[in-house]
């Protein structure tokens, strides 16, 4: 489907979108282009720094006169003066560096609740128009979310599928403040060299905020539906122009906001995507029914459904796209799944499936200590848990579990203020759907009801959890390097482990706790009990990543071939297997 001639100037950005949806944006683009007008001004140039010589010229300074011409002055001075007056002498023409400063324009999107829904369509259309407008004037257009921290690392350039998805997912439940606009303006002046234009695309409340010189505002407000359909009222500052944009049909609006790339014949948000392979660390979600991993394109999270018993039907794996930054952790509760991504010095918590009312969705600014702890934890995907400690105070703790070491972000909500502080601790999830908070206090593990469950000794020592009974299933690594099962009367030691083996975790079945290890070569999985060690056979191939379920005696193994194997440790049999890269994943919104 070809675009109408009137939309030809936007052919490049519109080619990113589905052709039918791109055409639906046409009327909005035409109205906005007429309202914005062209980007005026000329390219700003700096000093003319010398850069060698460009050739020979008939005019110039005497110091650039050719040496042969100076010889004429000695032999025929009168002829030299005549040629000089008539412009017949030859000079070297200096080459100059243009030193042209790049023209830059900046868009700040207000992604708060006031602009959710159809105003985002106006923002998308304005972005396309402003990008073409800047390109025609030789300028570079960049954009960012107003609620993000002002820095170059959060700026987006270009209009492609990745940046459009980042725009669509840049939503927040928190209203941006005028102070954030001020901080962005100061950043633009210092770091971007005072951009040609700084556009704020937001809601009507910004009309009451004084705009500094050089800041342009597009205020968008929804109107009530009429016989002519839905529309948006726009006000531009400082020009004062007002216009009304007629919106496309509701189905088209949904497609533009959810999935503007998928062919119209397919259901939005359920597109079949090219084969993806699970990579990196594996994370078990609560309940032992789902395993998550990054996808090979690093654009989202793959979630694999685990059957309840051997031989049960195997559902398709699903790909949950994300566009917030590098995913650092994933967690869930009941049927809900959330992820935590890191971008610069911020974390962003997003719900990717289901409903979790207590989940604090949005961006979390981190201090230097938090960033350092996160960097120390590594970049692999880890598990995360939310625990509402006191509903009346809204205090929440977020754990990033890394083999007994955790970063806790504790938020206290007081008069809308958010304060996140990092600390070190350990947590234990219970199996009844609730959470058991394990915090070190004088070398003991304190439960959610302030009852000491088990003595642990040095809180810096590693801790593993295995099975439904916290008191019987905590495994501790002591200073001597041995693993122990701490009981009320004494500690019982596990057999010495191969120092090159990797501890995958601990599991509990048959009334016993067992450690699960992986050999250095990645080919041997062992079950280490208090009295014996058993080698698991049948998994086959080299294992590049593995994880033990905290709920069930299962281990997930990602083989070098890309296959994901779920092994039942209790029956020593394969529960299920996902083949890769032959699997075709279903993308979920």
């Amino acid at each position: 489907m070809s675009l109408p001639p009137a939309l030809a100037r936007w052919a490049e950005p519109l080619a990113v979108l589905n052709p039918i949806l791109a055409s639906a944006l046409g009327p909005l683009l035409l109205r906005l282009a007429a309202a914005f007008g062209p980007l005026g001004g000329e390219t700003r140039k700096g000093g003319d720094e010398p850069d060698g010589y460009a050739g020979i010229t008939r005019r110039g300074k005497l110091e650039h006169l050719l040496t042969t011409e100076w010889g004429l002055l000695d032999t025929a001075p009168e002829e030299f003066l005549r040629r000089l007056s008539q412009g017949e002498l030859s000079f070297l023409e200096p080459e100059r560096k243009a030193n042209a400063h790049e023209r830059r324009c900046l868009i700040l999107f207000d992604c708060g609740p006031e602009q959710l829904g159809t105003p985002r369509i106006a923002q998308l259309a304005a972005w396309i128009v402003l990008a073409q407008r800047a390109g025609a004037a030789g300028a570079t257009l960049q954009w960012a979310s107003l609620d993000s921290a002002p820095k170059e690392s959060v700026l987006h350039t270009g209009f492609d599928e990745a940046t459009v998805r980042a725009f669509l997912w840049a939503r927040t439940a928190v209203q941006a403040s005028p102070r954030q606009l001020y901080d962005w303006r100061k950043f633009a002046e210092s770091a971007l060299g005072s951009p040609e234009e700084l556009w704020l695309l937001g809601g009507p409340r910004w009309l009451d905020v004084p705009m500094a010189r050089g800041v342009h505002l597009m205020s968008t407000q929804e109107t009530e539906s009429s016989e002519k359909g839905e529309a948006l009222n726009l006000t531009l500052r400082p020009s004062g122009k007002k216009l009304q944009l007629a919106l496309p049909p509701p189905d088209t609006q949904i497609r533009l906001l959810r999935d503007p790339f998928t062919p119209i014949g397919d259901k939005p948000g359920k597109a079949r995507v090219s084969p993806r392979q699970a990579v990196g660390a594996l994370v078990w979600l609560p309940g032992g029914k789902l395993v998550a991993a990054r996808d090979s394109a690093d654009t989202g999270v793959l979630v694999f459904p685990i059957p309840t018993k051997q031989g049960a039907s195997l559902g398709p794996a699903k790909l949950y796209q994300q566009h917030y930054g590098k995913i650092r952790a994933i967690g869930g509760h009941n049927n809900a799944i959330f992820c935590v991504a890191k971008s610069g010095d911020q974390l962003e918590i997003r719900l990717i499936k289901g409903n979790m009312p207590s989940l604090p969705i949005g961006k979390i600014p981190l201090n230097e200590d938090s960033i350092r702890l996160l960097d120390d934890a590594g970049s692999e995907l880890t598990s995360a848990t939310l625990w509402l400690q006191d509903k009346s105070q809204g205090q929440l703790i977020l754990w990033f579990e890394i083999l007994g070491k955790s970063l806790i972000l504790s938020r206290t909500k007081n008069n809308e203020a958010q304060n996140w502080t990092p600390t070190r601790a350990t947590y234990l999830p219970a199996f009844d759907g609730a959470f058991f908070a394990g915090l070190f206090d004088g070398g003991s593990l304190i439960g959610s009801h302030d009852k000491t469950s088990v003595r642990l000794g040095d809180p810096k020592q590693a801790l593993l959890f295995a099975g439904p009974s916290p008191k019987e299933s905590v495994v501790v690594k002591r200073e001597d390097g041995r693993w122990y099962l701490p009981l009320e009367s004494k500690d019982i030691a596990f057999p010495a482990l191969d120092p090159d083996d990797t501890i995958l975790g601990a599991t509990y079945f048959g009334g016993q706790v067992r450690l699960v290890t992986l050999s250095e070569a990645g080919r041997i999985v062992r079950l280490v009990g208090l009295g014996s060690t058993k080698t698991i056979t049948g998994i086959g191939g080299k294992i590049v990543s593995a994880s033990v379920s905290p709920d069930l005696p299962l281990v997930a193994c990602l083989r070098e071939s890309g296959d994901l194997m779920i092994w039942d440790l209790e029956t020593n049999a394969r529960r299920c297997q996902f083949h890769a890269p032959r699997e075709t994943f279903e993308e979920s919104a």
Side-chain angles (χ1 to χ4, degrees), residues 43-358:
T43 302
R44 297 170 294 177
K45 295 187 177 182
D48 292 333
E49 182 182 348
D51 189 25
Y53 294 97
I56 304 297
T57 182
R58 288 299 184 184
R59 295 189 180 276
K61 298 179 179 180
L62 289 177
E63 58 261 32
H64 296 150
L65 189 68
L66 292 181
T67 305
T68 55
E69 302 288 24
W70 287 114
L72 181 63
L73 176 61
D74 294 333
T75 58
E78 293 183 355
E79 178 64 16
F80 176 85
L81 293 174
R82 186 194 69 79
R83 292 187 181 186
L84 178 63
S85 63
Q86 298 295 321
E88 297 178 2
L89 295 177
S90 297
F91 298 81
L92 290 172
E93 181 181 8
E95 179 73 23
R96 302 290 182 181
K97 290 182 179 179
N99 278 345
H101 293 288
E102 182 185 12
R103 305 180 73 189
R104 303 172 79 170
C105 298
L106 177 62
I107 300 178
L108 296 176
F109 291 109
D110 182 352
C111 301
E114 194 177 44
Q115 292 291 280
L116 294 180
T118 54
R120 298 282 281 165
I121 298 177
Q123 290 185 346
L124 176 63
W127 177 17
I128 294 174
V129 172
L130 292 173
Q132 184 275 333
R133 178 173 173 268
T140 299
L141 182 73
Q142 295 176 294
W143 67 269
S145 175
L146 179 59
D147 62 306
S148 59
K151 56 176 54 182
E152 289 203 54
S153 60
V154 303
L155 293 175
H156 298 267
T157 305
F159 190 96
D160 52 29
E161 183 172 343
T163 54
V164 173
R165 288 191 183 277
F167 163 78
L168 294 176
W169 281 99
R171 304 187 296 262
T172 177
V174 180
Q175 292 273 23
S177 66
R179 176 69 191 188
Q180 290 172 297
L181 176 60
Y182 172 80
D183 292 341
W184 266 107
R185 186 173 63 84
K186 298 297 290 183
F187 167 77
E189 292 176 354
S190 61
L192 304 183
S194 296
E196 294 283 321
E197 290 182 340
L198 191 158
W199 279 91
L200 169 61
L201 307 187
R205 69 188 182 91
W206 290 104
L207 294 172
D208 299 326
V209 178
M211 292 291 132
R213 185 179 179 181
V215 178
H216 299 255
L217 171 66
M218 186 185 87
S219 168
T220 306
Q221 185 175 17
E222 294 179 293
T223 64
E224 295 183 3
S225 300
S226 64
E227 295 179 358
K228 297 181 180 180
E230 296 179 87
L232 297 171
N233 287 334
L234 272 64
T235 302
L236 303 183
R237 294 284 175 85
S239 67
K241 294 180 180 179
K242 295 183 179 182
L243 62 154
Q244 189 174 84
L245 298 182
L247 288 169
D251 289 346
T252 303
Q253 297 175 25
I254 294 174
R255 295 302 302 263
L256 284 169
L257 294 172
R258 290 188 57 189
D259 187 5
F261 316 105
T262 306
I264 293 298
D266 293 339
K267 185 178 180 182
K270 294 292 184 181
R272 305 298 291 186
V273 299
S274 58
R276 304 284 181 89
Q277 179 174 320
V279 295
L282 303 173
V283 173
W284 284 88
L285 296 178
K289 298 180 180 179
L290 297 171
V291 172
R294 282 198 186 101
D295 77 307
S296 53
D298 203 15
T299 60
V301 175
L302 291 172
V303 178
F304 300 86
I306 309 304
T308 56
K309 60 182 179 179
Q310 188 175 359
S313 60
L314 190 63
K318 292 186 178 181
L319 172 64
Y320 293 91
Q321 295 276 14
Q322 67 82 29
H323 314 282
Y324 330 113
K326 189 76 170 179
I327 288 187
R328 296 300 309 274
I330 184 169
H333 180 57
N334 293 333
N335 294 321
I337 303 175
F338 69 92
C339 70
V340 183
K342 181 175 181 289
S343 177
D345 60 356
Q346 294 187 112
L347 287 181
E348 183 154 1
I349 303 177
R350 289 291 179 179
L351 186 68
I352 58 178
K353 178 182 181 293
N355 183 33
M356 289 184 70
S358 61

